[in-house]
Amino acid sequence: MRQPRLREVKAVSSGHAAGGQLGRNSNPRLPASPSDPRILAASLRAAVGTPRAGFGFPGGCPGSRGLSWAHAIMLARGLSRGWRGICAAALTGAPFSQVPSQAPRGLHCSVAAPSSGSSLVPRPPEPPRQLAKPPAPHEELFRLAPGGARDRASFVQAVQNFGQHNVHKRGHVDFIYLALRKMRDYGVERDLAVYNLLLDVFPKEVFLPRNVFQKIFIHYPRQQECGLAVLEQMESHGVMPNKETEFLLLQIFGRKSYPMLKFVRMKLWFTRFKNVNPFPVPRDLPTDPVDLATLGLRRIEPDLSAKVTIYQMASSRDSTGTADPTEQHIVGIQSPGQQAALARHSPARPVFVEGPFSLWLRDKCVYYHILRADLEPPEEREVEEIPEEWNLYYPMQLDLKYGRSAWDDYEFDIDEVEEGPVFAICMAGAHDQATLAKWIQGLQETNPALAQIPVIFRLTASTGELLASSSGLEEPCPPPAQEEEEEEDKTQRQQQGQS
Amino acid sequence: MALVHKLLNGTYILSKCLKPSVASCPFLSTRFADYCSSSLQKPVATPGKASAQRNSAGGLQGDHQREVALDVTSPEEKPEVSFDKAIRDEIKEHFWRLKDEIVNHWIGPEGRPLQEVIMEQARVVWQFRGKEDLDKWIVTSDKTIGGRSEVFLKMGKNNQSALLYGTLSSAAPQDGENSQSGYCAMISRVPRGAFDRKKSYDWSQFNTLYLRVRGDGRPWMVNIREDTDFIQKSNQMYSYFMFTRGGPYWQEVKVTAQIPFSKFFFSNQGRIRDAQFQLLLDKISSIGFTLADKVDGPFFLEIDFIGVFADPAHTEEFAYENSPVLNPRLFK
């Protein structure tokens, strides 16, 4: 068990690993400061890859020669002053109650010769360690008061509590990493003020390099990595830092530090890519499903003159609050062009209700159905003839051929995929045929021609998983054919019953 | 055959060339999988590792492993495997290709008359009209680093488009190395000539990339890699965003599915670099689409074709200028 511990020592004592990563501006991979040996050991355990071997915490079991020798090495090569204090405390405390069963065996047999082979032999996987996880340091600050909720106020309170009880801000790096992990639970991951508050936890002006040697080497690498981690989380959530962040970073790390460099890069690239999305989705999506459906439909249908119709509101909202499976919201959209096309559609050819297809709005997925017809075969396509000169003000048809030669040809030499026309789109709470039949009935009010046209429902699996645009059509061909006929009869009967 | 292959390419580090484990067999069977993938689906575990050794797998886009999940065309027929015959066929095919190349050189660039190539304003580079078109693409996901995303590529409706679909999962692999995960990518294979020499695309007369796609509203990233013999440049690529609108209509509207090449920014190993330079179009190796928007769930992207054209209205050369704060050396 000692060999891995030596490796740990070497890995820990070299700050070069940190330097290389900071220089590449990548994710800080080594975790918090070594002021907490538990975190260090856990991380190195992960880095070594074997969950059991190499768990050589020096304060595990006092009294054997091998332990004290390794312990002495650790003390001698300790990275920070706090290491010694913590080690001394841990020697007496022995916080690892789960270790002693393994540690003595390994320590005793590894004194004389390197018996690392036995410790590196892969052991059977241990049972899932839900209970055995050691609590992260400062986790008690995030413990909820009885009756308290996880919201911004309690998060801010926890951060402020850290400073109050700990004047010297011991373990601030661990605390900041922990707070970064907890942000999502408290729902403050996109709050710039909270990030600034978290950066405020760093002691000011302590980490500024003062002479040329400190400027050459990365001064206080763990703290710079921690600052980088805060900025990386801001970046991944799309939060733009402001002047206060800049001032804080200047005070804490100085102008030539890596967090400051990352801040400059964020300022540059965020402003460049702020409006790069031609179809922007608002940050705060509406929670009401009808509003969300309206937003989605407006996004799908590029025609601005299209009308959104709410055929049915989810009735459960008013009465009980629990989702009523029979009454789901149905919202549809149709543009005047589509209405005209549907009116022109010949009743001899059926229209299909296809779906559900998925649409993602930021991180919410909604499903929509479309009403479309198949492409008409070329021989049946009627060319619309515009009678000449019925409009005397301007010509209805322009046949301008300005002599474009081969060098003005911007067409691609490929036949584009042609698909049948889409007549209407809808988003409904449920994906079953009954709900969609209600949509069709609602459509019939504005499109009386729909009453004569047979409607076939081509619904793929409604489990909400991924659905390709037509994957459901090709595979189960024979069975739905019968279903389609039945549905066709049903809808025809419905239409006949209505009309 | 493998030695000739190595000599002609010349991109291998000497130590790798001389490794005895990289014998002729894995290389042959690698090429096997490359050409005969439509008819013969061999389990390509070891050749995958060999190819991973060749292309240094670093960064998100550096993986060219063989993860093409195509439908096996005919599981009933079992084609007989005879190495001698296969080797002979392959050698014949390579010589045929060599002959084509020499003959085409007399006709014009890439076998088309020079007049046609010069006057061309729009060119279709990849289209999806059949299964053989899917063979030109490789699909990868973060399964290579231990993640749980899945991605598949198949032909779409009526064999008229390609459908890239799957599930994205941003659960990080618990290997202590990666704290983030969740990406899926579709990368085009590097075009090969006779004897597997690397060829590249020359798009220097075009200035816009045109994509006819239909997505589900998720933001994708288009990555272009240049053809280079330098290993140090193997993780460099030029990227830009492709925002899909979602919906049943094909997205061919201007501004979106047309991405001018001047908008591509330079990145190395997955990080945007400070020193930006424009994408040079004379030696393009491959293009790829990546989805990594940190949202778990299913996705799909339907692609009709990918083309390049010369937009006369677009006069911008490069969209990003270097800043003296980040690059003082460039401004001395």
Side-chain angles (χ1 to χ4, degrees), chain A residues 265 272 276 299 338 360, chain B residues 216 240 245 249 274 321:
Chain A
R265 286 185 183 126
R272 276 180 180 167
V276 82
R299 185 185 162 83
Q338 288 169 339
W360 283 91
Chain B
D216 54 347
Y240 197 64
R245 187 188 201 141
Y249 301 112
D274 295 336
E321 30 175 51

Side-chain angles (χ1 to χ4, degrees), chain A residues 24-27 29 46-47 232 235-237 261-262 264-265 268-269 272-273 276-279 298-302 338 354 357-360 362-363 367-368 370 372 406-419 422 425 464-471 473-475, chain B residues 119 121-124 127 129 154 156-158 160 163 165-166 175-177 179-180 210 212 214 216-218 240-241 243-252 255-256 265 269 271-274 276 294-300 302 304-305 307-310 312 320-322 325-326:
Chain A
R24 268 184 270 130
N25 196 22
S26 64
N27 249 334
R29 283 182 199 161
E232 278 243 13
E235 181 189 11
S236 77
H237 288 290
L261 194 59
K262 185 170 177 72
V264 172
R265 286 185 183 126
L268 177 71
W269 290 103
R272 276 180 180 167
F273 295 143
V276 82
N277 191 350
F279 313 117
R298 281 262 174 238
R299 185 185 162 83
I300 291 180
E301 182 58 60
Q338 288 169 339
E354 288 178 7
F357 304 116
S358 61
L359 171 74
W360 283 91
R362 254 187 223 278
D363 54 348
Y367 293 93
Y368 63 91
I370 53 178
R372 72 136 47 110
W407 59 74
D408 265 345
D409 179 23
Y410 296 106
E411 303 294 322
F412 283 99
D413 187 20
I414 188 173
D415 303 319
E416 285 183 348
V417 175
E418 282 192 19
E419 289 178 350
V422 174
I425 311 173
E465 286 172 349
L466 166 79
L467 301 148
S469 57
S470 66
S471 58
L473 298 175
E474 288 155 353
E475 292 140 18
Chain B
M119 304 278 266
Q121 299 291 317
R123 187 196 290 181
V124 176
Q127 59 186 9
R129 296 287 182 265
K154 67 171 198 176
K157 204 198 275 198
N158 292 335
Q160 291 268 321
L163 183 70
Y165 67 99
D175 58 356
E177 232 183 275
S179 60
Q180 297 170 7
Y210 186 95
R212 191 156 190 256
R214 182 158 61 184
D216 54 347
R218 287 192 135 179
Y240 197 64
F241 312 100
F243 291 98
T244 50
R245 187 188 201 141
Y249 301 112
W250 281 102
Q251 196 171 329
E252 61 193 13
V255 171
T256 63
F265 55 85
Q269 282 206 327
R271 299 252 168 201
I272 305 183
R273 291 287 126 180
D274 295 336
Q276 289 288 328
K294 301 179 225 157
V295 173
D296 296 344
F299 65 88
F300 73 88
E302 225 179 310
D304 180 11
F305 70 90
V308 285
F309 81 107
Y320 312 104
E321 30 175 51
N322 292 309
V325 177
L326 288 171

Side-chain angles (χ1 to χ4, degrees), chain A residues 176-239:
Chain A
I176 291 178
Y177 277 120
L178 175 68
L180 284 175
R181 284 197 295 270
K182 295 261 179 202
M183 263 188 174
R184 194 175 269 268
D185 299 332
Y186 285 75
V188 289
E189 70 265 11
R190 284 198 266 127
D191 198 339
L192 178 60
V194 172
Y195 281 109
N196 285 339
L197 194 72
L198 209 54
L199 276 178
D200 209 17
V201 171
F202 278 110
K204 313 287 181 299
E205 292 175 20
V206 178
F207 307 133
L208 297 174
R210 271 181 254 176
N211 55 41
V212 65
F213 302 104
Q214 289 175 351
K215 281 185 199 142
I216 294 173
F217 298 105
I218 301 167
H219 202 49
Y220 283 98
R222 300 281 169 265
Q223 280 76 4
Q224 287 209 17
E225 280 178 2
C226 188
L228 275 179
V230 176
L231 286 172
E232 278 243 13
Q233 193 166 14
M234 278 168 83
E235 181 189 11
S236 77
H237 288 290
V239 178

Side-chain angles (χ1 to χ4, degrees), chain B residues 219-247:
Chain B
W220 290 74
M221 199 135 180
V222 185
N223 308 306
I224 297 184
R225 305 189 112 186
E226 283 188 327
D227 178 27
T228 176
D229 282 333
F230 299 131
I231 299 164
Q232 293 82 0
K233 282 175 126 191
S234 56
N235 289 325
Q236 293 176 0
M237 64 188 175
Y238 293 81
S239 338
Y240 197 64
F241 312 100
M242 176 174 77
F243 291 98
T244 50
R245 187 188 201 141

Side-chain angles (χ1 to χ4, degrees), chain A residues 41-56:
Chain A
S43 72
L44 288 165
R45 191 189 334 143
V48 166
T50 54
R52 283 185 152 216
F55 190 78

